[in-house]
């Protein structure tokens, strides 16, 4: 069981908490390099001081290259165990460790074991740099500790002796614990939370079993070497069975993750909420340091990213649109790019530079088959491991779901905008943009409902305004300039009244006001202000135009307890009619206040003409 593999896979579970604080990146890098150098130097010094070169094998020697081959093969046989919803990976390297410690001299054993593991790490997992250095130095330290403990405990030369089994089991376990400590330290430096109790529990459960397998193999080699063929056939069958189970479990886990992701992004039609949920979940699923998305907005790209601090608006290159089009010209394949020692070129280098990444997985975002952006997972958040092929496949699937979710969200936005536009058109005058008769009636009803308990002297008031001489403007200048006069009247009305007053156009040259609360004296001043404002000259291309205005106001009578807005509208209309008649006779100022209690008999209305 190897600490290296545990380090690799402990970061792959999506259930680990993301709120952790890592050592600063450059500090973690320096500490990791320093640890690798220290382990290598100390291990080399221990081999020299203990005279590994002068020691012989405990049992009958076997070729050193056998251990190298077994170590490489064991590195490929990875077993994953889940403890408390955290995934740990182990390989059967205890078998070549036990065989090497018993049947190969210490110095060749260390070299062969290290060679086999190193080859597997480089070829299979393509490890480079500090990650490879940490793993190699950790393996070297484990081998040296194992040999030192076996020799220090004084194991007998009889491989079949129970004391030999006990010594080997203790030595392997202690060496493995040292490996776990090294792994946990590196993960801690890079901000990955590690539960030592879970690691030790899984190690104590598996290490004795794999060590026992190594001891059984050693006994067979010592008693009947050909019997190892039978053991190997059984082992191959078990490995094949486990691989089938693991693939089935992985497929089930992927489907579960995709279901959760689809439900998450599909549960909201708000594009902003979908965007944040999509990036957050994608980052967690592939354990990325950050997730980014570039989306086409008109003729330019906008960027968003989610990292440990949440959602941000990210800057994108000025030529982001051209970059994205070039990256996925004629293809929708996901790009997986790593900054390695080799020189990158073309699209790979452009992607690394654009996202300022060590490693990046970039997937296109398609809406109805059209490229509208890209989604990227940037760097593994542990700073040690790398994205695997299954991470790339999963991210490609997530990008496909993300495109569909964004398309649905944008479609719902368009539908809501269209619905709001239709509702606005249905409730507003097309020429002036003021509320129409329907919306005015709604606001009057709501205002009077709220003012039921207010006294009539400072309660709500309805006003109706009709332009005098407007027909002459239409007949002489044409409807175009008549419309311009109406638009200017609307502007002036909105400009002079309080924001709480509703101004509406009821049709033709008739406008309406609803004042939620006003005293009689303030109402008189408002009427005068309106008449002077509207009565001012209207400049046109053919000269100035002047129109008059007749205004009628209506309020409730003190004796009235129940308010009927229809009755009040008729009163205001009657007051405006009397004001217009007075204007025509030339004996009134042009506005009237009606606060009568009986609209059926106009002559009995307690009206007031204000001169």
């Amino acid at each position: 069981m190897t600490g290296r593999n545990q380090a690799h896979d402990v970061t792959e579970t999506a259930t680990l908490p993301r709120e952790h604080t890592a050592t600063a990146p450059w500090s973690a890098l320096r500490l990791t390099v320093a640890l690798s150098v220290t382990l290598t130097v100390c291990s080399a010094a221990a081999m020299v001081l203990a005279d590994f070169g002068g020691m012989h094998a405990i049992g009958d020697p076997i070729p050193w290259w056998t251990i190298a081959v077994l170590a490489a093969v064991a590195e490929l046989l990875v077993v994953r165990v889940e403890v408390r919803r955290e995934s740990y990976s182990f390989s059967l390297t205890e078998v070549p460790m036990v065989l090497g410690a018993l049947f190969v001299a210490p110095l060749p054993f260390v070299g062969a074991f290290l060679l086999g593991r190193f080859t597997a790490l480089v070829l299979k997992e393509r490890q480079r740099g500090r990650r490879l250095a940490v793993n190699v130095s950790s393996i070297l330290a484990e081998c040296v500790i194992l040999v030192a403990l076996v020799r220090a405990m004084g194991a007998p030369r009889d491989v079949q002796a129970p004391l030999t089994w006990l010594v080997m089991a203790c030595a392997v376990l202690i060496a493995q614990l040292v490996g776990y400590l090294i792994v946990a330290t590196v993960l801690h430096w890079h901000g990955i939370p590690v539960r030592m109790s879970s690691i030790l529990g899984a190690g104590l459960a598996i290490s004795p079993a794999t060590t026992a397998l190594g001891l059984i193999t050693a006994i067979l080699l010592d008693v009947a070497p050909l019997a190892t063929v039978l053991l190997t056939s059984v082992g191959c069958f078990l490995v094949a069975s486990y691989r089938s189970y693991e693939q089935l479990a992985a497929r089930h886990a992927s489907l579960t993750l995709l279901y959760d992701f689809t439900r998450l992004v599909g549960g909201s039609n708000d594009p902003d909420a979908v965007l944040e949920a999509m990036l957050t979940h994608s980052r967690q699923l592939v354990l990325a340091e950050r997730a980014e998305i570039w989306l086409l907005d008109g003729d330019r790209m906008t960027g968003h990213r989610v990292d440990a601090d949440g959602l941000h608006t990210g800057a994108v290159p000025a030529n982001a649109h051209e970059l994205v089009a070039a990256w996925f010209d004629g293809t929708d394949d996901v790009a997986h790019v790593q900054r390695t020692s080799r020189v990158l070129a073309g699209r790979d280098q452009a992607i690394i530079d654009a996202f300022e990444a060590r490693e990046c997985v970039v997937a296109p975002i398609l809406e109805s088959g059209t490229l509208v952006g890209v989604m990227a997972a940037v760097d593994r958040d542990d700073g040690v491991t790398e994205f695997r092929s299954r991470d790339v496949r999963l991210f490609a699937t997530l990008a496909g779901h993300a495109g569909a979710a964004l398309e649905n969200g944008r479609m719902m936005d368009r539908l809501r905008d269209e619905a709001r536009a239709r509702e606005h058109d249905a409730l507003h005058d097309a020429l002036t943009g003021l509320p129409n008769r329907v919306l005015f009636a709604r606001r009057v009803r709501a205002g009077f409902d709220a003012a039921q308990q207010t006294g009539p002297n400072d309660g709500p008031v309805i006003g109706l305004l009709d332009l005098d001489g407007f027909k002459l403007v239409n007949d002489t200048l044409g409807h175009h300039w008549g419309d311009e006069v109406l638009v200017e009247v609307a502007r002036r009305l909105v400009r002079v009244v309080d924001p709480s007053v509703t101004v509406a156009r009821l049709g033709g040259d008739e406008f309406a006001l609803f004042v939620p609360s006003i005293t009689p004296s303030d109402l008189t001043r408002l009427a005068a202000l309106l008449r002077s404002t509207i009565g001012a000259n209207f400049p046109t291309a053919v000269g100035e135009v002047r129109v008059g205005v007749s205004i009628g106001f209506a309020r409730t009578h003190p004796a009235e307890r129940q308010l009927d807005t229809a009755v009040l509208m008729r009163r205001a209309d009657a007051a405006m009619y009397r004001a217009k008649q007075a204007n025509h006779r030339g004996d009134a100022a042009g506005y009237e206040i009606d606060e009568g209690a009986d609209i059926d008999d106009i002559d009995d209305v307690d009206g007031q003409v204000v001169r």
Side-chain angles (χ1 to χ4, degrees), residues 163-441:
L163 180 58
T164 302
W165 307 342
L166 180 61
V167 169
M168 289 301 304
C170 293
V172 170
L173 182 59
I174 293 173
Q176 293 290 349
L177 291 176
V178 172
Y180 300 157
L181 180 60
I182 294 171
V183 168
T185 301
V186 173
L187 291 178
H188 174 72
W189 288 341
H190 287 86
I192 303 301
V194 179
R195 294 188 182 95
M196 286 303 298
S197 59
S198 298
I199 297 176
L200 293 177
L204 292 174
I206 294 179
S207 182
T210 53
T211 302
L213 179 60
L215 289 171
I216 292 173
T217 306
I219 294 171
L220 289 177
L221 279 175
D222 190 57
V223 176
L226 289 179
T228 56
V229 176
L230 300 177
L231 182 63
T232 302
S233 63
V234 173
C236 290
F237 170 76
L238 293 176
V239 168
S241 300
Y242 169 76
R243 290 294 189 190
S244 299
Y245 165 77
E246 184 184 34
Q247 291 175 0
L248 181 62
R251 190 177 299 112
H252 177 267
S254 297
L255 290 175
T256 301
L257 292 174
L258 284 177
Y259 170 75
D260 292 340
F261 177 82
T262 305
R263 184 179 58 180
L264 181 65
V265 301
S268 172
N269 290 320
D270 181 1
D272 292 335
V274 170
L275 187 67
E276 182 173 6
M278 176 181 64
L279 289 177
T280 300
H281 208 59
S282 298
R283 172 178 173 265
Q284 292 176 345
L285 286 178
V286 299
L287 296 174
E289 185 176 288
R290 68 181 189 273
E292 294 194 23
I293 190 168
W294 296 358
L295 286 177
L296 191 62
D297 185 7
D299 58 351
R300 65 186 183 88
M301 286 279 184
T302 60
H304 306 272
R305 75 174 187 273
V306 164
D307 53 24
D309 298 323
L311 179 67
H312 311 276
T313 299
V316 300
N319 61 336
H321 192 182
E322 292 78 6
L323 286 175
V324 171
W327 293 344
F328 298 100
D329 183 18
T331 178
D332 57 358
D333 293 338
V334 178
H336 179 206
V337 187
Q338 294 173 296
R339 187 191 296 275
T340 61
S341 56
R342 65 184 176 89
V343 178
L344 298 176
R347 183 180 75 160
D348 291 352
Q349 186 63 52
I351 290 175
I352 288 292
D353 292 341
F355 290 99
E356 300 178 351
R358 300 185 306 273
E359 182 184 13
C360 193
V361 179
V362 184
I365 299 292
L366 303 175
E367 288 189 9
S368 301
T370 303
L371 181 66
V372 297
V374 294
M375 188 167 70
V378 182
D379 300 333
R380 286 291 282 239
D381 64 356
D382 58 4
V384 177
T385 59
E386 300 167 354
F387 294 118
R388 288 186 167 185
S389 58
R390 70 182 184 187
D391 296 323
V392 177
R393 292 193 300 270
L394 177 59
F395 195 74
T397 306
L398 297 178
H401 284 280
L406 287 174
E407 185 173 7
N408 291 338
R410 290 184 177 184
M411 181 179 66
M412 292 302 298
D413 253 5
R414 289 194 295 269
L415 292 176
R416 281 194 291 264
D417 290 342
E418 292 174 2
R420 284 193 291 265
R422 287 194 294 269
E423 182 181 17
H424 183 275
D425 292 343
L427 298 176
H428 290 78
D429 176 55
L431 177 64
T432 63
L434 295 177
N436 61 14
R437 187 181 297 273
V438 176
L439 182 56
F440 182 74

